[in-house]
C-alpha cells in the first residue's frame, strides 16, 4: 500500500504513547478519538442541514419570483467552471494540513504560499479566457459572471490553510458559525441583487461576499495560520503529495459537472436551467448527509489507515449510516418528483421533474462513491483513484453526448446512471477490496437500506393512484412509505450504532 506520510521527522508521539492526532503508538485509535469524531459528525450534520434548508428556501424565492430557466442556465455554467477550478486551485497541497503527521504549523506557511500562487494564476487564466470558455459551453452571457464568481478561487486558495486546521482538529462547531456567516452574507447579497434585476450576476457577487466572510471567520477561528513562508524541500514534498490528489479531485469534479457542459453546449440555456434545477434537487440528500460526513471522514479514515481491520469496520459502518439516511430521501423525491417540483417551484419548472428520478438514483450512487474516494485518498491509493475517475470520465462523455441529442435532459440523466452503476461502482469495489475492505462488509452495510427503499417505492407507486394528487394525500403516502422504511431497517440498528451484537456477521 502506498501510504502517504509526512516529510517532517516528528511523529507527534506523547510520553503516554498516544499521538497528538489521537492514536496510540500501536496504530489503534485512542478512546477519545471516537468521541471527537462523533461530536464533529453531529456538529457537521447540524451545520449542513441548517445551511441546506436555508439554501433551499433561497432557491425557491429566486426560482418563483426573480429568475427564470435561462438565468439558472448561466449560473449553472459559471458554477461548473468554478467547481472545476476549486478542485485544483491549491494543487492538492491543502490536504497535507489534515493528513500529514507532526506539527502542521511547520509547513503551513509553504502550503499557504503555494495555494495563493496557484489560485492567483488560475484566476488570471480564467479572466482572460472567460469569453471563449462561455462560448464553448453554449452560454456567451456567462463570461462576466465567470470573471466575478471565480474570484472565489483566489479567496479559497488563501482560506484552505486555516480551514484545514479546523478540519484536522474536528472543530465543526466553529465551522458551523463560519458557514452561518457565509450563508447570511451571500444570501442577502444574492437576493437583493436578484430582485434589483441583476440576473445571474447576483449569484456571483453573493458567492464572493460569502467567501470573504468565510475567510475572515477561518482566520479568526484558527489564529496565526495565515503566515506566508517558503521552504524548498517542503514545497517539493507537498507537490509530490498534492498533485496526484489534485488530479484525482479534478477528475472527480469533471465527472460530476461534465453533464452541465454537455447540456449547455447541446441543448441551450433554457434546457440547462431545467437540468440544473433537477440536479440541484437531486443533490439535497447528497449535500445534507454526505457533505456532513465528508467533513470528518477524510480525517477519520486517515487516523485508521494504519489498521486495515479498523479501517474496514469504520468504512462499512460509515457507509451503512450514510446509505440508511439517504435512501428514504432519494426514494421520496424520485417517486413524487412531479408533484414536489410543482409544489415547490411552480408549474413552469415541471420539465425538470422528468429528469429527477434518474438523478436521485445517481445521487445515491454518488454518496457511496464519495465516501470510497475519501477512504482511498486516506489510505494512499492514488493510482486506484486516477484509474477509477479516469475510466468514469472517459466512458461518460460519449454516453452523455449521444443521450442529450436523442433524449434531452432525461437521456443525460439516464446515461449518468448507466455508466455509474454498470462501470464505476464495480471499479470502486475492486479498489476498496485492494485496500482491505471486502465486498461482504459493503453488502452488509447496504442490504437493509436497499430493501427498505424497494418497499418504499412500492408503497409510493401503489398508493398514488389511490390517494390522488392532492398535497395532503401526497404527504400521507410519503409518511406511510417512510414508516415502512423504518420498520425494514430496524434489524440493522445494532450495526449502525456499533453495539457488540450488531458487529457480528
Amino acid at each position: 500500500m502506498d501510504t502517504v506520510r509526512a516529510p517532517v521527522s516528528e511523529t507527534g508521539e506523547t510520553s503516554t504513547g498516544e499521538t497528538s492526532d489521537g492514536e496510540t503508538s500501536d496504530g489503534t485509535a485512542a478512546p477519545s478519538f471516537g468521541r471527537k469524531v462523533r461530536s464533529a459528525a453531529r456538529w457537521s450534520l447540524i451545520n449542513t442541514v441548517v445551511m441546506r434548508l436555508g439554501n433551499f428556501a433561497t432557491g425557491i424565492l429566486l426560482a418563483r419570483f426573480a429568475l427564470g430557466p435561462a438565468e439558472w442556465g448561466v449560473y449553472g455554467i459559471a458554477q461548473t467552471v468554478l467547481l472545476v477550478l476549486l478542485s485544483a486551485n491549491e494543487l492538492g497541497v491543502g490536504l497535507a494540513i489534515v493528513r500529514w503527521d507532526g506539527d502542521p504549523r511547520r509547513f503551513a506557511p509553504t502550503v499557504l504560499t503555494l495555494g495563493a500562487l496557484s489560485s492567483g494564476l488560475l484566476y488570471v487564466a480564467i479572466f482572460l479566457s472567460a469569453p471563449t470558455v462561455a462560448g464553448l459551453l453554449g452560454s456567451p452571457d456567462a463570461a462576466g459572471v465567470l470573471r466575478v464568481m471565480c474570484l472565489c478561487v483566489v479567496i479559497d486558495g488563501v482560506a484552505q490553510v486555516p480551514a484545514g486546521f479546523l478540519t484536522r482538529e474536528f472543530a465543526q462547531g466553529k465551522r458551523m458559525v463560519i458557514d452561518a456567516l457565509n450563508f447570511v452574507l451571500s444570501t442577502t447579497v444574492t437576493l437583493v441583487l436578484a430582485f434589483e434585476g441583476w440576473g445571474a450576476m447576483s449569484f456571483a457577487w453573493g458567492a464572493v461576499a460569502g467567501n470573504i466572510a468565510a475567510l475572515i471567520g477561518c482566520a479568526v477561528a484558527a489564529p496565526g495560520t495565515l503566515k506566508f513562508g517558503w521552504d524548498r524541500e517542503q514545497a517539493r514534498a507537498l507537490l509530490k503529495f498534492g498533485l496526484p490528489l489534485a488530479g484525482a479531485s479534478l477528475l472527480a469534479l469533471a465527472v460530476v459537472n461534465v453533464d452541465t457542459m454537455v447540456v449547455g453546449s447541446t441543448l441551450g440555456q433554457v434546457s440547462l436551467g431545467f437540468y440544473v434545477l433537477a440536479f440541484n434537487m437531486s443533490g439535497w440528500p447528497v449535500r445534507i448527509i454526505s457533505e456532513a460526513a465528508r467533513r470528518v471522514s477524510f480525517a477519520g479514515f486517515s487516523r485508521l489507515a494504519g489498521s486495515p481491520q479498523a479501517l474496514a469496520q469504520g468504512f462499512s459502518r460509515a457507509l451503512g449510516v450514510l446509505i440508511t439516511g439517504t435512501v428514504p430521501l432519494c426514494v421520496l423525491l424520485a417517486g413524487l418528483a412531479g408533484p414536489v417540483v410543482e409544489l415547490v417551484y411552480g408549474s413552469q419548472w415541471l420539465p425538470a421533474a422528468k429528469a429527477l428520478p434518474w438523478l436521485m438514483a445517481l445521487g445515491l450512487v454518488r454518496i457511496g462513491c464519495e465516501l470510497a474516494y475519501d477512504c482511498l485518498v486516506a489510505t494512499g491509493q492514488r493510482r486506484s483513484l486516477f484509474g477509477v475517475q479516469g475510466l468514469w470520465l472517459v466512458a461518460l462523455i460519449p454516453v452523455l453526448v449521444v443521450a442529450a441529442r436523442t433524449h434531452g435532459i432525461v437521456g443525460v440523466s439516464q446515461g449518468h446512471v448507466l455508466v455509474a452503476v454498470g462501470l464505476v461502482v464495480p471499479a470502486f469495489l475492486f479498489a476498496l477490496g485492494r485496500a482491505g475492505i471486502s465486498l461482504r462488509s459493503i453488502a452488509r452495510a447496504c442490504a437493509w437500506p436497499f430493501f427498505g427503499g424497494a418497499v418504499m417505492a412500492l408503497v409510493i407507486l401503489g398508493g398514488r393512484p389511490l390517494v390522488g394528487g392532492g398535497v395532503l394525500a401526497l404527504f400521507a403516502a410519503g409518511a406511510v412509505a417512510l414508516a415502512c422504511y423504518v420498520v425494514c431497517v430496524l434489524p440493522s440498528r445494532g450495526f449502525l450504532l456499533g453495539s457488540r451484537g450488531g458487529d457480528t456477521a
Side-chain angles (χ1 to χ4, degrees):
M1 182 181 298
D2 183 18
T3 304
V4 178
R5 303 298 293 176
V8 293
S9 59
E10 292 84 1
T11 63
E13 188 171 285
T14 66
S15 59
T16 62
E18 182 182 321
T19 68
S20 59
D21 289 332
E23 295 179 358
T24 58
S25 56
D26 63 357
T28 59
S32 61
F33 173 66
R35 291 194 297 271
K36 184 182 289 187
V37 172
R38 286 191 294 272
S39 176
R42 283 194 296 269
W43 276 112
S44 183
L45 180 59
I46 294 171
N47 180 15
T48 307
V49 169
V50 172
M51 293 303 108
R52 292 308 167 190
L53 287 176
N55 285 324
F56 169 60
T58 303
I60 294 174
L61 288 174
L62 292 172
R64 275 189 171 271
F65 305 113
L67 303 177
E71 288 82 5
W72 279 94
V74 172
Y75 165 68
I77 288 294
Q79 181 73 1
T80 297
V81 175
L82 174 62
L83 289 175
V84 171
L85 293 178
L86 287 175
S87 68
N89 71 318
E90 35 78 51
L91 305 178
V93 298
L95 288 174
I97 300 293
V98 181
R99 179 65 182 88
W100 277 7
D101 297 328
D103 183 6
R105 292 182 182 270
R106 290 194 59 185
F107 52 86
T110 305
V111 173
L112 182 60
T113 301
L114 283 171
L117 286 173
S118 61
S119 60
L121 291 174
L122 275 177
Y123 180 73
V124 171
I126 193 62
F127 184 89
L128 296 175
S129 62
T132 302
V133 172
L136 290 175
L137 296 179
S139 185
D141 297 337
V145 179
L146 271 176
R147 285 173 166 166
V148 174
M149 185 173 284
C150 287
L151 285 169
C152 296
V153 173
V154 181
I155 301 169
D156 182 76
V158 176
Q160 39 94 20
V161 169
F165 274 90
L166 296 179
T167 301
R168 182 184 181 98
E169 298 301 324
F170 299 96
Q172 293 303 320
K174 295 179 180 178
R175 285 297 299 269
M176 181 173 180
V177 176
I178 294 168
D179 288 346
L181 292 173
N182 184 338
F183 170 77
V184 170
L185 188 57
S186 64
T187 301
T188 301
V189 172
T190 299
L191 287 174
V192 169
L193 294 181
F195 282 97
E196 287 294 324
W198 286 54
M201 187 64 78
S202 59
F203 287 112
W205 283 115
V208 171
N211 274 265
I212 291 175
L215 170 60
I216 296 172
C218 286
V220 172
T225 57
L226 285 180
K227 294 181 179 179
F228 290 91
W230 186 257
D231 184 293
R232 183 179 299 177
E233 293 301 319
Q234 287 180 353
R236 184 179 295 112
L238 285 166
L239 290 173
K240 183 179 180 181
F241 165 80
L243 285 175
L245 298 181
S249 180
L250 186 61
L251 284 173
L253 263 296
V255 165
V256 175
N257 292 283
V258 68
D259 52 354
T260 302
M261 301 178 185
V262 170
V263 173
S265 60
T266 305
L267 303 176
Q269 289 183 11
V270 174
S271 293
L272 178 59
F274 290 129
Y275 184 82
V276 168
L277 186 81
F279 195 89
N280 287 343
M281 289 184 68
S282 73
W284 290 349
V286 177
R287 295 189 183 108
I288 290 175
I289 297 177
S290 181
E291 187 175 295
R294 295 194 78 187
R295 290 190 173 184
V296 298
S297 62
F298 176 69
F301 291 149
S302 296
R303 305 299 197 276
L304 300 175
S307 173
Q309 182 179 2
L311 179 67
Q313 291 175 349
F315 178 83
S316 61
R317 183 162 292 123
L319 179 64
V321 171
L322 287 179
I323 296 297
T324 300
T326 308
V327 163
L329 298 176
C330 290
V331 174
L332 284 174
L333 284 175
L336 303 174
V340 170
V341 170
E342 185 173 13
L343 175 66
V344 174
Y345 293 104
S347 58
Q348 71 270 25
W349 291 96
L350 273 176
K354 298 178 182 179
L356 187 56
W358 296 98
L359 291 174
M360 295 313 307
L362 175 65
L364 187 60
V365 173
R366 282 173 55 199
I367 285 178
C369 291
E370 287 175 357
L371 191 71
Y373 178 94
D374 287 344
C375 183
L376 294 174
V377 170
T379 55
Q381 300 290 316
R382 289 172 289 182
R383 292 183 179 179
S384 297
L385 279 176
F386 268 118
V388 174
Q389 299 292 350
L391 179 66
W392 197 346
L393 184 61
V394 169
L396 192 60
I397 292 175
V399 170
L400 294 188
V401 170
V402 173
R405 291 175 177 174
T406 55
H407 295 93
I409 62 174
V410 176
V412 171
S413 307
Q414 293 170 336
H416 246 314
V417 176
L418 175 65
V419 174
V421 174
L423 187 63
V424 178
V425 170
F428 264 119
L429 291 176
F430 177 77
L432 290 171
R434 294 184 60 189
I437 301 171
S438 67
L439 178 61
R440 180 174 178 270
S441 65
I442 295 174
R444 181 189 178 197
C446 299
W448 288 111
F450 283 175
F451 172 68
V455 172
M456 275 191 74
L458 291 175
V459 171
I460 291 174
L461 294 177
R464 281 189 62 184
L466 300 177
V467 300
V471 174
L472 292 178
L474 293 174
F475 273 113
V480 172
L482 191 59
C484 293
Y485 177 80
V486 172
V487 172
C488 290
V489 299
L490 279 177
S492 65
R493 64 188 184 280
F495 168 74
L496 297 177
L497 295 174
S499 64
R500 184 170 299 178
D503 287 336
T504 58

